[in-house]
Amino acid sequence: MRARVRQAASHGLVAVPLGLALALALDVPAIARDNGEGLLGETDDKIVTAFGLGVVVFFLVVVVLGSMIQDGLERRKDARKAAALRQRTSW
């Protein structure tokens, strides 16, 4: 039984990289058609700069929102702990 599991695992270790390499090899012609132009046409510095700025702004927003959510959760946790401590110490 263990030999079958090992054999199946070894086949998976070979099949996954082989399938990935095959998929990438078949995708190259699809990517290279239309002279490499994307949906917005020819890519110039303005498009690259706008995209890079968009990525920076996206991650800035994610960090700020995550920090705000974490701060709110910490306040709730602290309030809950304080209420439990007051209830435990009161008569």
Side-chain angles (χ1 to χ4, degrees), residues 42-70:
E42 186 178 350
T43 304
D44 58 358
D45 289 344
K46 185 177 180 181
I47 292 174
V48 172
T49 302
F51 182 78
L53 182 62
V55 169
V56 169
V57 168
F58 169 76
F59 282 109
L60 177 71
V61 168
V62 167
V63 168
V64 169
L65 286 177
S67 296
M68 290 172 62
I69 291 170
Q70 184 178 6

Side-chain angles (χ1 to χ4, degrees), residues 6-27:
R6 286 184 187 165
Q7 186 179 13
S10 67
H11 285 295
L13 290 175
V14 172
V16 170
L18 186 63
L20 183 62
L22 181 65
L24 289 174
L26 294 176
D27 283 343

